[in-house]
PDB file of all heavy atoms in Angstrom:
ATOM      1  N   MET A  92    -163.396  83.667 203.135  1.00 63.00           N
ATOM      2  CA  MET A  92    -163.142  82.398 203.792  1.00 63.00           C
ATOM      3  C   MET A  92    -161.857  81.774 203.269  1.00 63.00           C
ATOM      4  O   MET A  92    -161.452  82.025 202.127  1.00 63.00           O
ATOM      5  CB  MET A  92    -164.306  81.439 203.584  1.00 63.00           C
ATOM      6  CG  MET A  92    -165.601  81.874 204.239  1.00 63.00           C
ATOM      7  SD  MET A  92    -166.882  80.630 204.024  1.00 63.00           S
ATOM      8  CE  MET A  92    -168.236  81.429 204.868  1.00 63.00           C
ATOM      9  N   SER A  93    -161.254  80.950 204.103  1.00 71.00           N
ATOM     10  CA  SER A  93    -159.994  80.320 203.732  1.00 71.00           C
ATOM     11  C   SER A  93    -160.227  79.236 202.693  1.00 71.00           C
ATOM     12  O   SER A  93    -161.201  78.474 202.759  1.00 71.00           O
ATOM     13  CB  SER A  93    -159.325  79.717 204.980  1.00 71.00           C
ATOM     14  OG  SER A  93    -158.168  79.019 204.606  1.00 71.00           O
ATOM     15  N   THR A  94    -159.313  79.170 201.730  1.00 81.00           N
ATOM     16  CA  THR A  94    -159.380  78.142 200.695  1.00 81.00           C
ATOM     17  C   THR A  94    -158.308  77.085 200.874  1.00 81.00           C
ATOM     18  O   THR A  94    -158.078  76.286 199.976  1.00 81.00           O
ATOM     19  CB  THR A  94    -159.224  78.790 199.309  1.00 81.00           C
ATOM     20  OG1 THR A  94    -157.949  79.487 199.257  1.00 81.00           O
ATOM     21  CG2 THR A  94    -160.348  79.772 199.037  1.00 81.00           C
ATOM     22  N   ARG A  95    -157.678  77.068 202.017  1.00 88.00           N
ATOM     23  CA  ARG A  95    -156.609  76.106 202.254  1.00 88.00           C
ATOM     24  C   ARG A  95    -157.174  74.686 202.354  1.00 88.00           C
ATOM     25  O   ARG A  95    -158.357  74.469 202.608  1.00 88.00           O
ATOM     26  CB  ARG A  95    -155.844  76.455 203.532  1.00 88.00           C
ATOM     27  CG  ARG A  95    -156.706  76.529 204.760  1.00 88.00           C
ATOM     28  CD  ARG A  95    -155.924  76.976 205.988  1.00 88.00           C
ATOM     29  NE  ARG A  95    -156.815  77.243 207.112  1.00 88.00           N
ATOM     30  CZ  ARG A  95    -157.314  76.314 207.912  1.00 88.00           C
ATOM     31  NH1 ARG A  95    -157.014  75.036 207.720  1.00 88.00           N
ATOM     32  NH2 ARG A  95    -158.098  76.668 208.922  1.00 88.00           N
ATOM     33  N   THR A  96    -156.265  73.730 202.167  1.00 91.00           N
ATOM     34  CA  THR A  96    -156.649  72.321 202.249  1.00 91.00           C
ATOM     35  C   THR A  96    -157.063  71.980 203.679  1.00 91.00           C
ATOM     36  O   THR A  96    -156.378  72.365 204.632  1.00 91.00           O
ATOM     37  CB  THR A  96    -155.478  71.433 201.818  1.00 91.00           C
ATOM     38  OG1 THR A  96    -155.094  71.779 200.481  1.00 91.00           O
ATOM     39  CG2 THR A  96    -155.857  69.967 201.882  1.00 91.00           C
ATOM     40  N   PRO A  97    -158.165  71.279 203.875  1.00 94.00           N
ATOM     41  CA  PRO A  97    -158.591  70.931 205.250  1.00 94.00           C
ATOM     42  C   PRO A  97    -157.596  69.988 205.918  1.00 94.00           C
ATOM     43  O   PRO A  97    -157.010  69.109 205.278  1.00 94.00           O
ATOM     44  CB  PRO A  97    -159.957  70.267 205.034  1.00 94.00           C
ATOM     45  CG  PRO A  97    -159.930  69.770 203.633  1.00 94.00           C
ATOM     46  CD  PRO A  97    -159.107  70.760 202.859  1.00 94.00           C
ATOM     47  N   LEU A 184    -170.603  66.761 202.102  1.00 97.00           N
ATOM     48  CA  LEU A 184    -171.541  67.529 201.288  1.00 97.00           C
ATOM     49  C   LEU A 184    -172.957  67.116 201.675  1.00 97.00           C
ATOM     50  O   LEU A 184    -173.341  65.959 201.523  1.00 97.00           O
ATOM     51  CB  LEU A 184    -171.297  67.272 199.802  1.00 97.00           C
ATOM     52  CG  LEU A 184    -172.269  67.933 198.813  1.00 97.00           C
ATOM     53  CD1 LEU A 184    -172.255  69.447 198.967  1.00 97.00           C
ATOM     54  CD2 LEU A 184    -171.926  67.535 197.384  1.00 97.00           C
ATOM     55  N   ASP A 252    -157.060  67.103 197.941  1.00 94.00           N
ATOM     56  CA  ASP A 252    -157.664  68.144 197.117  1.00 94.00           C
ATOM     57  C   ASP A 252    -158.220  67.581 195.809  1.00 94.00           C
ATOM     58  O   ASP A 252    -159.216  68.091 195.286  1.00 94.00           O
ATOM     59  CB  ASP A 252    -156.638  69.243 196.807  1.00 94.00           C
ATOM     60  CG  ASP A 252    -156.424  70.176 197.991  1.00 94.00           C
ATOM     61  OD1 ASP A 252    -157.399  70.388 198.744  1.00 94.00           O
ATOM     62  OD2 ASP A 252    -155.300  70.657 198.189  1.00 94.00           O
ATOM     63  N   GLN A 253    -157.574  66.555 195.292  1.00 94.00           N
ATOM     64  CA  GLN A 253    -158.071  65.959 194.052  1.00 94.00           C
ATOM     65  C   GLN A 253    -159.447  65.319 194.250  1.00 94.00           C
ATOM     66  O   GLN A 253    -160.285  65.346 193.348  1.00 94.00           O
ATOM     67  CB  GLN A 253    -157.069  64.914 193.553  1.00 94.00           C
ATOM     68  CG  GLN A 253    -157.349  64.406 192.155  1.00 94.00           C
ATOM     69  CD  GLN A 253    -157.182  65.504 191.109  1.00 94.00           C
ATOM     70  OE1 GLN A 253    -156.358  66.405 191.266  1.00 94.00           O
ATOM     71  NE2 GLN A 253    -157.976  65.432 190.051  1.00 94.00           N
ATOM     72  N   LEU A 255    -161.649  66.407 196.560  1.00 96.00           N
ATOM     73  CA  LEU A 255    -162.595  67.489 196.812  1.00 96.00           C
ATOM     74  C   LEU A 255    -163.017  68.170 195.516  1.00 96.00           C
ATOM     75  O   LEU A 255    -164.146  68.657 195.402  1.00 96.00           O
ATOM     76  CB  LEU A 255    -161.972  68.514 197.764  1.00 96.00           C
ATOM     77  CG  LEU A 255    -161.524  67.965 199.130  1.00 96.00           C
ATOM     78  CD1 LEU A 255    -161.032  69.102 200.026  1.00 96.00           C
ATOM     79  CD2 LEU A 255    -162.638  67.194 199.802  1.00 96.00           C
ATOM     80  N   ILE A 256    -162.119  68.221 194.527  1.00 95.00           N
ATOM     81  CA  ILE A 256    -162.480  68.809 193.233  1.00 95.00           C
ATOM     82  C   ILE A 256    -163.665  68.060 192.620  1.00 95.00           C
ATOM     83  O   ILE A 256    -164.596  68.659 192.079  1.00 95.00           O
ATOM     84  CB  ILE A 256    -161.260  68.791 192.288  1.00 95.00           C
ATOM     85  CG1 ILE A 256    -160.199  69.792 192.767  1.00 95.00           C
ATOM     86  CG2 ILE A 256    -161.680  69.114 190.855  1.00 95.00           C
ATOM     87  CD1 ILE A 256    -158.890  69.716 191.989  1.00 95.00           C
ATOM     88  N   MET A 258    -165.794  66.105 194.338  1.00 97.00           N
ATOM     89  CA  MET A 258    -166.951  66.201 195.222  1.00 97.00           C
ATOM     90  C   MET A 258    -167.719  67.489 194.957  1.00 97.00           C
ATOM     91  O   MET A 258    -168.964  67.519 195.054  1.00 97.00           O
ATOM     92  CB  MET A 258    -166.515  66.125 196.685  1.00 97.00           C
ATOM     93  CG  MET A 258    -167.678  66.149 197.674  1.00 97.00           C
ATOM     94  SD  MET A 258    -167.143  66.063 199.402  1.00 97.00           S
ATOM     95  CE  MET A 258    -166.612  64.371 199.491  1.00 97.00           C
ATOM     96  N   ARG A 259    -167.022  68.571 194.589  1.00 96.00           N
ATOM     97  CA  ARG A 259    -167.685  69.845 194.328  1.00 96.00           C
ATOM     98  C   ARG A 259    -168.557  69.812 193.075  1.00 96.00           C
ATOM     99  O   ARG A 259    -169.388  70.698 192.872  1.00 96.00           O
ATOM    100  CB  ARG A 259    -166.635  70.961 194.201  1.00 96.00           C
ATOM    101  CG  ARG A 259    -165.886  71.262 195.503  1.00 96.00           C
ATOM    102  CD  ARG A 259    -164.960  72.455 195.350  1.00 96.00           C
ATOM    103  NE  ARG A 259    -164.219  72.731 196.575  1.00 96.00           N
ATOM    104  CZ  ARG A 259    -162.922  72.435 196.749  1.00 96.00           C
ATOM    105  NH1 ARG A 259    -162.232  71.834 195.763  1.00 96.00           N
ATOM    106  NH2 ARG A 259    -162.331  72.727 197.883  1.00 96.00           N
ATOM    107  N   LYS A 260    -168.403  68.791 192.244  1.00 96.00           N
ATOM    108  CA  LYS A 260    -169.223  68.674 191.037  1.00 96.00           C
ATOM    109  C   LYS A 260    -170.625  68.125 191.336  1.00 96.00           C
ATOM    110  O   LYS A 260    -171.520  68.231 190.496  1.00 96.00           O
ATOM    111  CB  LYS A 260    -168.526  67.760 190.025  1.00 96.00           C
ATOM    112  CG  LYS A 260    -167.178  68.270 189.538  1.00 96.00           C
ATOM    113  CD  LYS A 260    -166.555  67.264 188.576  1.00 96.00           C
ATOM    114  CE  LYS A 260    -165.177  67.716 188.119  1.00 96.00           C
ATOM    115  NZ  LYS A 260    -164.556  66.729 187.189  1.00 96.00           N
ATOM    116  N   VAL A 261    -170.806  67.560 192.512  1.00 97.00           N
ATOM    117  CA  VAL A 261    -172.080  66.935 192.863  1.00 97.00           C
ATOM    118  C   VAL A 261    -173.045  68.007 193.362  1.00 97.00           C
ATOM    119  O   VAL A 261    -172.673  68.892 194.150  1.00 97.00           O
ATOM    120  CB  VAL A 261    -171.872  65.849 193.941  1.00 97.00           C
ATOM    121  CG1 VAL A 261    -173.202  65.175 194.277  1.00 97.00           C
ATOM    122  CG2 VAL A 261    -170.856  64.824 193.453  1.00 97.00           C
ATOM    123  N   GLN A 265    -174.901  72.072 200.923  1.00 95.00           N
ATOM    124  CA  GLN A 265    -173.837  72.772 201.645  1.00 95.00           C
ATOM    125  C   GLN A 265    -172.631  71.838 201.760  1.00 95.00           C
ATOM    126  O   GLN A 265    -172.780  70.673 202.127  1.00 95.00           O
ATOM    127  CB  GLN A 265    -174.309  73.185 203.045  1.00 95.00           C
ATOM    128  CG  GLN A 265    -173.287  73.929 203.882  1.00 95.00           C
ATOM    129  CD  GLN A 265    -173.775  74.179 205.295  1.00 95.00           C
ATOM    130  OE1 GLN A 265    -174.702  73.507 205.767  1.00 95.00           O
ATOM    131  NE2 GLN A 265    -173.158  75.136 205.992  1.00 95.00           N
ATOM    132  N   MET A 266    -171.440  72.365 201.464  1.00 96.00           N
ATOM    133  CA  MET A 266    -170.223  71.566 201.561  1.00 96.00           C
ATOM    134  C   MET A 266    -169.386  72.084 202.719  1.00 96.00           C
ATOM    135  O   MET A 266    -169.116  73.293 202.831  1.00 96.00           O
ATOM    136  CB  MET A 266    -169.422  71.616 200.263  1.00 96.00           C
ATOM    137  CG  MET A 266    -168.227  70.677 200.262  1.00 96.00           C
ATOM    138  SD  MET A 266    -167.598  70.355 198.602  1.00 96.00           S
ATOM    139  CE  MET A 266    -166.132  69.380 198.978  1.00 96.00           C
ATOM    140  N   LEU A 267    -168.990  71.153 203.611  1.00 96.00           N
ATOM    141  CA  LEU A 267    -168.234  71.486 204.814  1.00 96.00           C
ATOM    142  C   LEU A 267    -166.823  70.932 204.706  1.00 96.00           C
ATOM    143  O   LEU A 267    -166.623  69.819 204.212  1.00 96.00           O
ATOM    144  CB  LEU A 267    -168.915  70.910 206.062  1.00 96.00           C
ATOM    145  CG  LEU A 267    -170.413  71.177 206.224  1.00 96.00           C
ATOM    146  CD1 LEU A 267    -170.920  70.525 207.496  1.00 96.00           C
ATOM    147  CD2 LEU A 267    -170.709  72.665 206.231  1.00 96.00           C
ATOM    148  N   LEU A 268    -165.856  71.732 205.204  1.00 96.00           N
ATOM    149  CA  LEU A 268    -164.463  71.296 205.312  1.00 96.00           C
ATOM    150  C   LEU A 268    -164.101  71.239 206.792  1.00 96.00           C
ATOM    151  O   LEU A 268    -164.462  72.143 207.558  1.00 96.00           O
ATOM    152  CB  LEU A 268    -163.532  72.261 204.569  1.00 96.00           C
ATOM    153  CG  LEU A 268    -163.822  72.469 203.076  1.00 96.00           C
ATOM    154  CD1 LEU A 268    -162.837  73.480 202.480  1.00 96.00           C
ATOM    155  CD2 LEU A 268    -163.769  71.155 202.319  1.00 96.00           C
ATOM    156  N   ARG A 275    -165.739  74.485 208.540  1.00 95.00           N
ATOM    157  CA  ARG A 275    -166.019  75.728 207.817  1.00 95.00           C
ATOM    158  C   ARG A 275    -166.704  75.394 206.495  1.00 95.00           C
ATOM    159  O   ARG A 275    -166.587  74.280 205.988  1.00 95.00           O
ATOM    160  CB  ARG A 275    -164.729  76.518 207.568  1.00 95.00           C
ATOM    161  CG  ARG A 275    -163.614  75.681 206.955  1.00 95.00           C
ATOM    162  CD  ARG A 275    -162.268  76.400 207.006  1.00 95.00           C
ATOM    163  NE  ARG A 275    -161.160  75.500 206.755  1.00 95.00           N
ATOM    164  CZ  ARG A 275    -160.624  75.268 205.541  1.00 95.00           C
ATOM    165  NH1 ARG A 275    -161.112  75.875 204.471  1.00 95.00           N
ATOM    166  NH2 ARG A 275    -159.595  74.461 205.412  1.00 95.00           N
ATOM    167  N   ASP A 276    -167.425  76.367 205.969  1.00 95.00           N
ATOM    168  CA  ASP A 276    -168.029  76.213 204.658  1.00 95.00           C
ATOM    169  C   ASP A 276    -166.950  76.258 203.583  1.00 95.00           C
ATOM    170  O   ASP A 276    -165.960  77.006 203.694  1.00 95.00           O
ATOM    171  CB  ASP A 276    -169.062  77.316 204.393  1.00 95.00           C
ATOM    172  CG  ASP A 276    -170.332  77.112 205.192  1.00 95.00           C
ATOM    173  OD1 ASP A 276    -170.819  75.963 205.245  1.00 95.00           O
ATOM    174  OD2 ASP A 276    -170.829  78.094 205.783  1.00 95.00           O
ATOM    175  N   ASP A 277    -167.163  75.475 202.535  1.00 95.00           N
ATOM    176  CA  ASP A 277    -166.216  75.454 201.428  1.00 95.00           C
ATOM    177  C   ASP A 277    -166.529  76.625 200.492  1.00 95.00           C
ATOM    178  O   ASP A 277    -167.591  76.637 199.854  1.00 95.00           O
ATOM    179  CB  ASP A 277    -166.322  74.127 200.681  1.00 95.00           C
ATOM    180  CG  ASP A 277    -165.307  74.010 199.562  1.00 95.00           C
ATOM    181  OD1 ASP A 277    -164.443  74.912 199.426  1.00 95.00           O
ATOM    182  OD2 ASP A 277    -165.384  73.026 198.801  1.00 95.00           O
ATOM    183  N   PRO A 278    -165.638  77.618 200.379  1.00 94.00           N
ATOM    184  CA  PRO A 278    -165.925  78.784 199.528  1.00 94.00           C
ATOM    185  C   PRO A 278    -165.911  78.446 198.036  1.00 94.00           C
ATOM    186  O   PRO A 278    -166.439  79.215 197.230  1.00 94.00           O
ATOM    187  CB  PRO A 278    -164.810  79.776 199.884  1.00 94.00           C
ATOM    188  CG  PRO A 278    -163.683  78.922 200.358  1.00 94.00           C
ATOM    189  CD  PRO A 278    -164.312  77.742 201.043  1.00 94.00           C
ATOM    190  N   LYS A 279    -165.339  77.313 197.668  1.00 94.00           N
ATOM    191  CA  LYS A 279    -165.249  76.949 196.258  1.00 94.00           C
ATOM    192  C   LYS A 279    -166.489  76.171 195.770  1.00 94.00           C
ATOM    193  O   LYS A 279    -166.612  75.930 194.566  1.00 94.00           O
ATOM    194  CB  LYS A 279    -164.003  76.093 196.010  1.00 94.00           C
ATOM    195  CG  LYS A 279    -162.701  76.823 196.270  1.00 94.00           C
ATOM    196  CD  LYS A 279    -161.507  75.923 195.952  1.00 94.00           C
ATOM    197  CE  LYS A 279    -160.185  76.634 196.205  1.00 94.00           C
ATOM    198  NZ  LYS A 279    -159.015  75.762 195.880  1.00 94.00           N
ATOM    199  N   TYR A 280    -167.355  75.820 196.686  1.00 96.00           N
ATOM    200  CA  TYR A 280    -168.519  75.040 196.274  1.00 96.00           C
ATOM    201  C   TYR A 280    -169.614  75.992 195.807  1.00 96.00           C
ATOM    202  O   TYR A 280    -170.025  76.905 196.538  1.00 96.00           O
ATOM    203  CB  TYR A 280    -169.039  74.182 197.428  1.00 96.00           C
ATOM    204  CG  TYR A 280    -170.205  73.306 197.036  1.00 96.00           C
ATOM    205  CD1 TYR A 280    -170.034  72.260 196.139  1.00 96.00           C
ATOM    206  CD2 TYR A 280    -171.483  73.549 197.537  1.00 96.00           C
ATOM    207  CE1 TYR A 280    -171.095  71.465 195.757  1.00 96.00           C
ATOM    208  CE2 TYR A 280    -172.554  72.751 197.173  1.00 96.00           C
ATOM    209  CZ  TYR A 280    -172.354  71.716 196.275  1.00 96.00           C
ATOM    210  OH  TYR A 280    -173.406  70.928 195.886  1.00 96.00           O
ATOM    211  N   THR A 281    -170.109  75.771 194.597  1.00 94.00           N
ATOM    212  CA  THR A 281    -171.112  76.650 193.991  1.00 94.00           C
ATOM    213  C   THR A 281    -172.431  75.922 193.699  1.00 94.00           C
ATOM    214  O   THR A 281    -173.241  76.410 192.905  1.00 94.00           O
ATOM    215  CB  THR A 281    -170.565  77.252 192.692  1.00 94.00           C
ATOM    216  OG1 THR A 281    -170.196  76.185 191.798  1.00 94.00           O
ATOM    217  CG2 THR A 281    -169.356  78.136 192.976  1.00 94.00           C
ATOM    218  N   GLY A 282    -172.626  74.772 194.292  1.00 94.00           N
ATOM    219  CA  GLY A 282    -173.876  74.056 194.083  1.00 94.00           C
ATOM    220  C   GLY A 282    -173.780  72.871 193.155  1.00 94.00           C
ATOM    221  O   GLY A 282    -174.771  72.150 192.960  1.00 94.00           O
ATOM    222  N   GLY A 283    -172.620  72.629 192.576  1.00 94.00           N
ATOM    223  CA  GLY A 283    -172.439  71.474 191.714  1.00 94.00           C
ATOM    224  C   GLY A 283    -172.881  71.723 190.285  1.00 94.00           C
ATOM    225  O   GLY A 283    -173.304  72.823 189.921  1.00 94.00           O
ATOM    226  N   GLN A 284    -172.807  70.687 189.487  1.00 95.00           N
ATOM    227  CA  GLN A 284    -173.172  70.764 188.079  1.00 95.00           C
ATOM    228  C   GLN A 284    -174.182  69.669 187.757  1.00 95.00           C
ATOM    229  O   GLN A 284    -174.438  68.776 188.567  1.00 95.00           O
ATOM    230  CB  GLN A 284    -171.921  70.596 187.198  1.00 95.00           C
ATOM    231  CG  GLN A 284    -171.234  69.260 187.354  1.00 95.00           C
ATOM    232  CD  GLN A 284    -169.915  69.184 186.618  1.00 95.00           C
ATOM    233  OE1 GLN A 284    -169.214  70.197 186.485  1.00 95.00           O
ATOM    234  NE2 GLN A 284    -169.553  68.005 186.141  1.00 95.00           N
TER     235      GLN A 284
END
Side-chain angles (χ1 to χ4, degrees):
M92 294 184 181
S93 175
T94 59
R95 57 184 171 81
T96 302
L184 176 59
D252 283 328
Q253 190 66 32
L255 302 185
I256 290 173
M258 183 180 288
R259 293 185 181 105
K260 298 178 183 179
V261 181
Q265 180 186 19
M266 186 162 175
L267 311 179
L268 302 179
R275 50 193 165 92
D276 287 316
D277 183 6
K279 296 182 180 181
Y280 183 67
T281 58
Q284 62 187 32

